[in-house]
Amino acid sequence: MTRHRDVQDFHDRAPGYEAGYRGRLHADIVARTAQLALARCPAPRRVLDVGCGTGMLLRELARRFGGSPQLVGVDAAAAMIEQARALAANRRPGARLAFVRGVAERLPFGNGAFDLVATTTSFDHWADQRGGLAECRRVLAPGGLFVLADVCSPWLAPTLVGTRRDRARTPLRATRLLAAAGFRSVEWHRLYAVIITAATATT
Ligand SMILES: C[S@@+](CC[C@H](N)C(=O)[O-])C[C@H]1O[C@@H](n2cnc3c(N)ncnc32)[C@H](O)[C@@H]1O
């Protein structure tokens, strides 16, 4: 059985996740990711956030969007989903937000169900990054946009030792995995400091 090693920790952290310095850092990364996603995909109708945590990205997108997009978050930690549902209660009227418990490696959605799939600071925690990316590709509609934001930089090569030796923490490794999953037109963008970057890719 696949071991989802960091999920219990996130489950425990969920109630205070958006507080303090770390909460502000995640909010900033989320805001920059939303800006990047909307610059390339200005009016998505169906959006999936993989490893959505407390739902910050989808709330941010709901705030920025026109129209009534369908916004769906999936996360492995039950308490994150509970928090996301509670915090979404103050959403912009018209936006349709839903949160589902599940893992990136087995997304509970049909093929081509979304035109924008995004993930922020979750990929590094996935038990099977290759399998998770294949699932993101599967649920993305033809012509859709994938945005992957996380710790990924050539500067992180020295961290690829010990229990993190299999992680795709450099653009070279992550680009290889994206290509293996069937993504095309991979481009890298600096997002935050030098180590948080985002890849955009299409089907
Ligand atoms: C650092 S938090 C990021 C949350 C949110 N995306 C954000 O930017 O604030 C990482 C999240 O990924 C989730 N996660 C870890 N492994 C996962 C997996 N295999 N599938 C889905 N979610 C996962 C955790 O439960 C946690 O909520």
Side-chain angles (χ1 to χ4, degrees), residues 2-11 13-14 17-18 22-23 25-27 29-30 33 49-57 74-81 100-107 118-129 132 149-150 167:
T2 311
R3 187 167 158 257
H4 294 281
R5 55 188 162 195
D6 301 326
V7 172
Q8 182 61 46
D9 182 43
F10 284 114
H11 178 80
R13 278 178 54 197
Y17 179 79
E18 294 192 15
R22 276 208 287 193
L25 174 69
H26 283 292
I29 293 167
V30 156
T33 305
D49 180 7
V50 183
C52 62
T54 54
M56 271 197 273
L57 178 66
V74 62
D75 198 283
M80 285 292 194
I81 293 297
V100 180
R101 191 172 175 204
V103 293
E105 294 82 352
R106 203 159 72 181
L107 292 173
T119 179
T120 57
T121 59
S122 181
F123 177 65
D124 194 56
H125 302 285
W126 297 355
D128 175 4
Q129 292 184 309
D150 212 333
R167 302 288 84 187

Coordinates of all heavy atoms in Angstrom, one line a residue, residues 2-11 13-14 17-18 22-23 25-27 29-30 33 49-57 74-81 100-107 118-129 132 149-150 167, ligand 1:
T2 N 0.5 2.3 -0.8 CA 1.2 3.5 -0.8 C 1.2 4.2 0.5 O 0.1 4.4 1.1 CB 0.7 4.4 -1.9 OG1 0.5 3.7 -3.1 CG2 1.6 5.6 -2.2
R3 N 2.3 4.7 1.0 CA 2.3 5.4 2.2 C 2.3 6.9 2.0 O 3.2 7.5 1.4 CB 3.6 5.0 3.0 CG 3.6 5.6 4.4 CD 4.7 5.0 5.2 NE 4.9 5.9 6.3 CZ 6.0 6.7 6.4 NH1 6.9 6.6 5.4 NH2 6.2 7.5 7.4
H4 N 1.2 7.6 2.5 CA 1.1 9.0 2.3 C 1.7 9.7 3.6 O 1.1 10.0 4.5 CB -0.3 9.4 2.1 CG -0.8 8.9 0.8 ND1 -0.6 9.5 -0.4 CD2 -1.6 7.8 0.5 CE1 -1.1 8.8 -1.4 NE2 -1.7 7.8 -0.9
R5 N 3.0 9.9 3.5 CA 3.8 10.2 4.7 C 3.5 11.5 5.4 O 3.7 11.5 6.6 CB 5.3 10.1 4.4 CG 5.7 11.1 3.3 CD 7.2 10.8 2.9 NE 7.5 11.3 1.6 CZ 8.5 11.0 0.8 NH1 9.4 10.2 1.3 NH2 8.7 11.6 -0.3
D6 N 3.1 12.6 4.7 CA 2.9 13.8 5.4 C 1.5 14.2 5.8 O 1.2 15.2 6.3 CB 3.5 15.0 4.6 CG 5.0 14.7 4.3 OD1 5.7 14.2 5.1 OD2 5.4 15.1 3.2
V7 N 0.6 13.3 5.4 CA -0.8 13.7 5.5 C -1.3 13.8 6.9 O -2.1 14.7 7.3 CB -1.7 12.6 4.7 CG1 -3.2 12.9 4.9 CG2 -1.4 12.8 3.2
Q8 N -0.9 12.9 7.8 CA -1.3 13.0 9.2 C -0.9 14.4 9.8 O -1.6 15.0 10.6 CB -0.7 11.9 10.1 CG -1.1 11.9 11.5 CD -2.7 11.7 11.7 OE1 -3.3 10.8 11.0 NE2 -3.3 12.5 12.5
D9 N 0.3 14.8 9.5 CA 0.8 16.1 9.9 C -0.1 17.2 9.5 O -0.5 18.1 10.2 CB 2.3 16.3 9.4 CG 2.9 17.6 9.9 OD1 2.7 17.9 11.1 OD2 3.5 18.3 9.1
F10 N -0.5 17.2 8.2 CA -1.4 18.2 7.7 C -2.8 18.1 8.3 O -3.4 19.2 8.6 CB -1.5 18.1 6.2 CG -0.3 18.7 5.5 CD1 0.6 17.9 4.7 CD2 0.1 20.0 5.6 CE1 1.7 18.4 4.1 CE2 1.2 20.5 5.0 CZ 2.0 19.7 4.3
H11 N -3.2 16.9 8.6 CA -4.5 16.7 9.3 C -4.5 17.5 10.6 O -5.4 18.2 11.0 CB -4.8 15.2 9.5 CG -6.0 14.9 10.2 ND1 -7.3 14.9 9.6 CD2 -6.2 14.6 11.5 CE1 -8.2 14.6 10.5 NE2 -7.6 14.4 11.6
R13 N -2.5 19.9 11.5 CA -2.2 21.3 11.4 C -3.4 22.1 10.8 O -3.4 23.4 10.8 CB -1.0 21.6 10.5 CG 0.3 21.4 11.1 CD 1.4 21.6 10.1 NE 1.3 22.9 9.3 CZ 2.0 23.1 8.2 NH1 2.8 22.1 7.7 NH2 1.9 24.2 7.6
A14 N -4.4 21.4 10.3 CA -5.5 22.1 9.6 C -6.1 23.3 10.3 O -6.3 24.3 9.7 CB -6.5 21.0 9.1
Y17 N -3.8 26.3 10.1 CA -3.0 26.3 8.9 C -2.8 27.7 8.3 O -1.7 28.0 7.8 CB -3.6 25.3 7.8 CG -2.8 25.3 6.6 CD1 -1.6 24.6 6.5 CD2 -3.2 26.0 5.4 CE1 -0.9 24.5 5.3 CE2 -2.5 26.0 4.3 CZ -1.3 25.3 4.2 OH -0.6 25.3 3.0
E18 N -3.8 28.5 8.3 CA -3.8 29.8 7.6 C -3.2 30.9 8.6 O -3.1 32.1 8.1 CB -5.2 30.2 7.1 CG -5.6 29.3 6.0 CD -6.8 29.8 5.2 OE1 -7.1 30.9 5.3 OE2 -7.4 28.9 4.5
R22 N 3.6 31.2 8.4 CA 3.5 30.2 7.4 C 2.2 30.3 6.6 O 2.1 30.1 5.4 CB 3.5 28.8 8.0 CG 5.0 28.3 8.2 CD 5.1 26.8 8.2 NE 4.6 26.2 9.4 CZ 4.8 24.9 9.7 NH1 5.5 24.2 8.9 NH2 4.3 24.4 10.8
G23 N 1.1 30.7 7.3 CA -0.1 31.0 6.6 C 0.0 32.1 5.6 O -0.6 32.0 4.5
L25 N 2.7 33.1 4.1 CA 3.5 32.6 3.0 C 2.7 31.8 2.0 O 2.8 32.0 0.8 CB 4.7 31.7 3.6 CG 5.5 31.0 2.6 CD1 6.4 32.0 1.8 CD2 6.4 30.0 3.2
H26 N 1.9 30.9 2.5 CA 1.0 30.1 1.6 C 0.0 31.0 0.9 O -0.2 30.8 -0.3 CB 0.3 29.0 2.4 CG 1.3 27.8 2.7 ND1 1.7 27.0 1.7 CD2 1.8 27.4 3.9 CE1 2.5 26.1 2.3 NE2 2.6 26.3 3.6
A27 N -0.5 32.0 1.6 CA -1.5 32.9 0.9 C -0.8 33.6 -0.2 O -1.4 33.8 -1.3 CB -2.1 33.8 1.9
I29 N 1.9 32.7 -2.0 CA 2.1 31.7 -3.1 C 0.8 31.4 -3.9 O 0.8 31.4 -5.1 CB 2.7 30.4 -2.6 CG1 4.1 30.7 -2.0 CG2 2.8 29.3 -3.6 CD1 4.7 29.5 -1.1
V30 N -0.2 31.3 -3.1 CA -1.6 31.0 -3.8 C -2.0 32.2 -4.6 O -2.4 32.0 -5.8 CB -2.6 30.8 -2.6 CG1 -4.0 31.0 -3.1 CG2 -2.5 29.3 -2.2
T33 N 0.0 32.2 -7.8 CA -0.4 31.1 -8.7 C -1.7 31.4 -9.4 O -1.9 31.1 -10.6 CB -0.5 29.8 -7.8 OG1 0.7 29.5 -7.1 CG2 -0.9 28.6 -8.7
D49 N -8.3 21.9 -7.8 CA -7.1 22.1 -7.0 C -6.7 20.9 -6.3 O -7.5 20.4 -5.5 CB -7.4 23.3 -6.0 CG -6.2 23.6 -5.2 OD1 -5.1 23.1 -5.4 OD2 -6.3 24.4 -4.2
V50 N -5.6 20.3 -6.7 CA -5.2 19.0 -6.1 C -4.3 19.3 -4.9 O -3.2 19.9 -5.0 CB -4.4 18.2 -7.2 CG1 -4.0 16.8 -6.6 CG2 -5.2 18.0 -8.4
G51 N -4.6 18.7 -3.7 CA -3.9 19.0 -2.5 C -4.3 20.4 -2.0 O -3.5 21.2 -1.7
C52 N -5.6 20.6 -2.0 CA -6.2 22.0 -1.9 C -6.0 22.6 -0.5 O -6.2 23.8 -0.2 CB -7.7 22.0 -2.2 SG -8.7 21.0 -1.1
G53 N -5.7 21.7 0.5 CA -5.6 22.2 1.9 C -6.9 22.8 2.4 O -8.0 22.3 2.2
T54 N -6.8 24.1 2.9 CA -7.9 24.8 3.4 C -8.7 25.5 2.3 O -9.6 26.3 2.6 CB -7.5 25.8 4.5 OG1 -6.5 26.6 3.9 CG2 -7.0 25.1 5.7
G55 N -8.3 25.3 1.1 CA -9.1 25.9 -0.1 C -8.7 27.3 -0.4 O -9.5 28.0 -1.1
M56 N -7.5 27.7 0.0 CA -7.1 29.2 -0.3 C -7.2 29.5 -1.8 O -7.6 30.6 -2.2 CB -5.7 29.4 0.3 CG -5.7 29.9 1.7 SD -4.2 30.7 2.1 CE -3.2 29.2 2.6
L57 N -6.6 28.6 -2.6 CA -6.5 28.9 -4.0 C -7.9 29.0 -4.6 O -8.1 30.0 -5.4 CB -5.7 27.8 -4.8 CG -5.6 28.0 -6.3 CD1 -4.8 29.3 -6.6 CD2 -5.0 26.8 -6.9
V74 N -9.5 18.8 -3.9 CA -9.4 17.5 -3.4 C -8.1 17.5 -2.5 O -7.1 18.1 -2.8 CB -9.3 16.5 -4.5 CG1 -8.1 16.7 -5.4 CG2 -9.2 15.0 -4.0
D75 N -8.2 16.8 -1.3 CA -7.1 16.7 -0.4 C -7.2 15.4 0.3 O -8.2 14.9 0.6 CB -7.1 17.9 0.6 CG -5.8 18.1 1.2 OD1 -5.4 17.3 2.2 OD2 -5.0 19.0 0.8
A76 N -6.0 14.9 0.7 CA -5.9 13.7 1.4 C -6.2 13.7 2.9 O -6.5 12.7 3.5 CB -4.4 13.1 1.2
A77 N -6.1 14.9 3.4 CA -6.3 15.1 4.9 C -7.8 15.5 5.2 O -8.2 16.5 4.8 CB -5.3 16.1 5.4
A78 N -8.4 14.7 6.0 CA -9.8 14.9 6.3 C -10.1 16.3 7.0 O -11.0 17.0 6.6 CB -10.4 13.8 7.2
A79 N -9.2 16.7 7.9 CA -9.4 18.0 8.6 C -9.2 19.2 7.6 O -9.8 20.2 7.8 CB -8.5 18.1 9.8
M80 N -8.3 19.0 6.6 CA -8.2 20.1 5.6 C -9.5 20.3 4.9 O -9.9 21.4 4.6 CB -7.0 19.8 4.7 CG -5.7 19.9 5.2 SD -5.3 21.7 5.6 CE -3.5 21.7 5.8
I81 N -10.1 19.2 4.5 CA -11.4 19.3 3.8 C -12.5 19.9 4.7 O -13.2 20.8 4.2 CB -11.8 17.8 3.3 CG1 -10.8 17.3 2.2 CG2 -13.3 17.9 2.8 CD1 -10.8 18.1 1.0
V100 N -13.6 17.6 -1.7 CA -13.7 16.1 -1.6 C -12.4 15.5 -1.1 O -11.3 16.0 -1.4 CB -13.9 15.6 -3.1 CG1 -14.0 14.1 -3.1 CG2 -15.0 16.3 -3.8
R101 N -12.5 14.5 -0.2 CA -11.3 13.9 0.3 C -10.8 12.9 -0.8 O -11.6 12.1 -1.3 CB -11.6 13.2 1.6 CG -10.3 12.7 2.2 CD -10.5 12.2 3.6 NE -9.3 11.7 4.1 CZ -9.2 10.8 5.1 NH1 -10.3 10.3 5.6 NH2 -8.1 10.4 5.5
G102 N -9.6 12.9 -1.1 CA -9.0 11.9 -2.0 C -7.5 12.2 -2.2 O -7.0 13.2 -1.7
V103 N -6.9 11.4 -3.0 CA -5.4 11.5 -3.2 C -5.2 11.8 -4.6 O -5.9 11.4 -5.5 CB -4.6 10.3 -2.7 CG1 -4.7 10.2 -1.2 CG2 -5.1 9.0 -3.4
A104 N -4.1 12.6 -4.9 CA -3.7 12.9 -6.2 C -3.5 11.7 -7.1 O -3.7 11.7 -8.3 CB -2.4 13.7 -6.1
E105 N -3.0 10.6 -6.4 CA -2.6 9.4 -7.2 C -3.9 8.7 -7.7 O -3.7 7.8 -8.5 CB -1.8 8.5 -6.3 CG -0.4 9.0 -5.9 CD -0.5 10.0 -4.7 OE1 -1.6 10.4 -4.3 OE2 0.6 10.4 -4.3
R106 N -5.0 9.0 -7.1 CA -6.3 8.4 -7.6 C -7.4 9.4 -7.5 O -8.2 9.4 -6.6 CB -6.6 7.1 -6.8 CG -7.5 6.2 -7.6 CD -7.4 4.8 -7.1 NE -8.1 4.6 -5.8 CZ -8.2 3.5 -5.1 NH1 -7.6 2.4 -5.6 NH2 -8.8 3.4 -4.0
L107 N -7.5 10.3 -8.5 CA -8.4 11.4 -8.4 C -9.9 10.8 -8.7 O -10.0 10.1 -9.7 CB -8.1 12.5 -9.4 CG -6.8 13.2 -9.1 CD1 -6.4 14.2 -10.2 CD2 -6.9 14.0 -7.8
A118 N -4.8 22.8 -11.0 CA -3.7 23.5 -10.3 C -3.4 22.8 -9.1 O -4.2 22.1 -8.5 CB -4.1 24.9 -10.0
T119 N -2.1 23.0 -8.6 CA -1.7 22.4 -7.3 C -0.6 23.3 -6.8 O 0.3 23.7 -7.5 CB -1.3 21.0 -7.5 OG1 -0.9 20.5 -6.2 CG2 -0.2 20.8 -8.5
T120 N -0.8 23.7 -5.5 CA 0.2 24.6 -4.9 C 0.8 24.0 -3.6 O 0.0 23.5 -2.7 CB -0.5 26.0 -4.5 OG1 -1.6 25.7 -3.6 CG2 -0.9 26.7 -5.7
T121 N 2.1 23.9 -3.6 CA 2.9 23.3 -2.5 C 2.3 22.0 -1.9 O 2.4 21.8 -0.7 CB 3.0 24.4 -1.3 OG1 1.8 24.8 -0.8 CG2 3.8 25.6 -1.8
S122 N 1.8 21.2 -2.8 CA 1.4 19.8 -2.4 C 2.2 18.7 -3.1 O 2.5 17.7 -2.5 CB -0.1 19.7 -2.8 OG -0.6 18.4 -2.4
F123 N 2.6 19.0 -4.3 CA 3.3 18.0 -5.1 C 4.5 17.3 -4.4 O 4.7 16.1 -4.5 CB 3.8 18.7 -6.4 CG 4.6 17.9 -7.4 CD1 4.0 16.8 -8.0 CD2 5.9 18.2 -7.6 CE1 4.8 16.1 -8.9 CE2 6.6 17.5 -8.6 CZ 6.1 16.4 -9.2
D124 N 5.2 18.1 -3.7 CA 6.4 17.6 -3.0 C 6.0 16.6 -1.9 O 6.9 15.8 -1.5 CB 7.2 18.8 -2.3 CG 8.6 18.4 -1.9 OD1 9.4 17.9 -2.8 OD2 8.9 18.5 -0.7
H125 N 4.8 16.5 -1.5 CA 4.3 15.6 -0.5 C 3.7 14.4 -1.1 O 3.4 13.4 -0.3 CB 3.3 16.3 0.4 CG 3.9 17.5 1.1 ND1 4.8 17.5 2.1 CD2 3.7 18.8 0.8 CE1 5.1 18.7 2.5 NE2 4.5 19.5 1.7
W126 N 3.4 14.3 -2.4 CA 2.7 13.2 -2.9 C 3.6 11.9 -2.8 O 4.8 11.9 -3.1 CB 2.4 13.4 -4.4 CG 1.4 14.6 -4.6 CD1 0.8 15.3 -3.7 CD2 1.0 15.1 -5.9 NE1 0.0 16.3 -4.3 CE2 0.1 16.2 -5.7 CE3 1.3 14.8 -7.2 CZ2 -0.5 16.9 -6.7 CZ3 0.7 15.5 -8.2 CH2 -0.2 16.6 -8.0
A127 N 2.9 10.8 -2.4 CA 3.6 9.6 -2.3 C 4.2 9.1 -3.6 O 5.3 8.5 -3.7 CB 2.7 8.5 -1.7
D128 N 3.4 9.3 -4.7 CA 3.8 8.9 -6.0 C 3.6 10.0 -7.0 O 2.5 10.3 -7.5 CB 2.9 7.7 -6.4 CG 3.2 7.2 -7.9 OD1 4.1 7.8 -8.5 OD2 2.4 6.3 -8.3
Q129 N 4.7 10.8 -7.2 CA 4.6 12.0 -8.0 C 4.2 11.7 -9.4 O 3.5 12.4 -10.1 CB 5.9 12.8 -7.9 CG 6.1 13.4 -6.5 CD 7.3 14.3 -6.4 OE1 8.4 13.9 -6.9 NE2 7.2 15.5 -5.9
G132 N 0.6 10.7 -9.6 CA -0.3 11.9 -9.4 C -0.3 12.8 -10.6 O -1.4 13.3 -11.0
A149 N 2.7 24.5 -8.8 CA 3.6 25.4 -8.0 C 4.1 24.7 -6.8 O 3.3 24.1 -6.0 CB 2.7 26.6 -7.6
D150 N 5.4 24.7 -6.6 CA 6.0 24.1 -5.4 C 7.5 24.4 -5.3 O 8.0 25.2 -6.1 CB 5.8 22.5 -5.5 CG 5.6 21.9 -4.2 OD1 6.1 22.5 -3.2 OD2 5.0 20.9 -4.1
R167 N 12.4 12.8 -4.9 CA 11.5 13.9 -5.2 C 11.9 14.6 -6.5 O 13.1 14.7 -6.8 CB 11.6 14.9 -4.0 CG 11.2 14.4 -2.7 CD 9.7 14.1 -2.6 NE 9.3 12.8 -3.1 CZ 8.0 12.4 -3.2 NH1 7.0 13.2 -2.9 NH2 7.8 11.2 -3.7
Ligands
LIG1 C1 1.5 22.5 2.2 S1 -0.2 22.0 2.1 C2 -0.7 23.0 0.7 C3 -2.2 23.3 0.8 C4 -2.7 24.3 -0.2 N1 -2.5 23.7 -1.6 C5 -2.0 25.6 -0.1 O1 -1.4 26.1 -1.0 O2 -2.2 26.2 0.9 C6 0.0 20.4 1.3 C7 -1.4 19.7 1.2 O3 -1.2 18.6 0.3 C8 -2.0 17.5 0.9 N2 -1.5 16.3 0.3 C9 -0.4 15.6 0.6 N3 -0.2 14.5 -0.1 C10 -1.3 14.4 -0.9 C11 -1.8 13.5 -1.9 N4 -1.1 12.4 -2.2 N5 -3.0 13.7 -2.5 C12 -3.7 14.8 -2.2 N6 -3.3 15.7 -1.2 C13 -2.2 15.5 -0.6 C14 -1.9 17.7 2.3 O4 -2.9 17.0 3.1 C15 -1.9 19.2 2.5 O5 -3.2 19.7 2.7

